[in-house]
Amino acid sequence: MAIIKCIHSICAIRKEDHMRIRLATIDDVPDIAHVHVESWKSTYKGIISDDYLSKLSIESRIKNWLWVFNRSNPDEVIYVIENDEGTIVGFANGGKCRSEQYDYDGELYSIYLLEEYQGLGFGKALFSAVVDHLRIHNYQTLMVWVLEKNSAINFYYRLGAKAFTKKDIQIGNDTVTELGLGWDELL
């Protein structure tokens, strides 16, 4: 399956909705953490326990993202997407596949948007930016892990992903199934 190439890193979605994608900096960590927590609360409601979701904190996510920014990981990239007011409303990151168990060299580690920006093309633009980055760094294939009950799984299927494996994982007291989705070719 082929992945659609990104047209521009600045795209118009509708006349009134514009976005700008750029490389994230360490100064963006609080905003990334905010998007991460809020998107988990909206996306995983009904999939992960309310008790777990209610305990998510921006402070904890800040610590995690500072760790990500301060470690050296070859070819990893983090993009943020801003609305027309310059507010970060989503992010995506990817790089080298974290598992040698699968026949994919690249991995989309995460992609999250605030709920009100989902379904407007922001996710596709972020996805394309990560894919473009990986392609430039000579990656040939891509995979992503997605919770099986996450309705956003259809986003990946529309982009040509195919399920190739699944596993059960523990999030808090919940056991959930994650699907491994993959693209055999980056165009």
Side-chain angles (χ1 to χ4, degrees):
M1 258 316 109
I3 296 176
I4 299 169
K5 186 175 180 180
C6 181
I7 298 169
H8 301 287
S9 59
I10 301 176
C11 308
I13 306 225
R14 296 181 307 202
K15 287 182 182 177
E16 63 274 9
D17 291 327
H18 298 276
M19 64 175 142
R20 181 173 83 103
I21 296 175
R22 62 174 174 78
L23 286 171
T25 70
I26 200 161
D27 293 336
D28 296 321
V29 165
D31 293 326
I32 292 170
H34 168 77
V35 169
H36 203 165
V37 168
E38 292 306 313
S39 63
W40 263 62
K41 288 179 179 180
S42 63
T43 301
Y44 299 133
K45 187 163 182 58
I47 299 172
I48 298 172
S49 72
D50 289 342
D51 181 56
Y52 182 87
L53 294 174
S54 70
K55 292 178 182 169
L56 293 174
S57 75
I58 292 173
E59 294 76 21
S60 171
R61 290 282 104 198
I62 286 173
K63 288 178 187 173
N64 289 6
W65 281 104
L66 286 172
W67 178 81
V68 170
F69 272 91
N70 287 314
R71 70 188 165 103
S72 176
N73 191 358
D75 300 332
E76 183 171 352
V77 66
I78 304 168
Y79 285 106
V80 293
I81 191 163
E82 299 172 333
N83 64 15
D84 55 355
E85 285 105 32
T87 302
I88 293 173
V89 298
F91 68 90
N93 72 316
K96 182 179 178 184
C97 188
R98 296 175 286 189
S99 173
E100 294 181 12
Q101 179 180 354
Y102 307 106
D103 292 327
Y104 295 94
D105 57 355
E107 183 175 351
L108 177 66
Y109 304 146
S110 63
I111 183 168
Y112 289 105
L113 290 167
L114 294 176
E115 186 174 26
E116 59 268 29
Y117 291 91
Q118 296 172 9
L120 301 175
F122 283 63
K124 186 174 180 182
L126 279 168
F127 177 82
S128 294
V130 172
V131 168
D132 285 347
H133 172 84
L134 292 174
R135 187 181 308 105
I136 289 166
H137 287 86
N138 299 313
Y139 287 84
Q140 304 296 310
T141 59
L142 181 68
M143 68 164 290
V144 64
W145 289 103
V146 184
L147 293 185
E148 185 176 48
K149 293 183 178 178
N150 180 348
S151 63
I153 201 164
N154 293 316
F155 166 80
Y156 298 108
Y157 288 138
R158 285 191 302 275
L159 292 171
K162 301 284 186 194
F164 66 89
T165 192
K166 66 181 179 177
K167 65 181 178 181
D168 288 337
I169 62 167
Q170 195 75 25
I171 300 177
N173 293 323
D174 301 306
T175 301
V176 294
T177 301
E178 252 187 341
L179 291 181
L181 305 179
W183 294 263
D184 294 333
E185 182 181 358
L186 299 179
L187 290 180

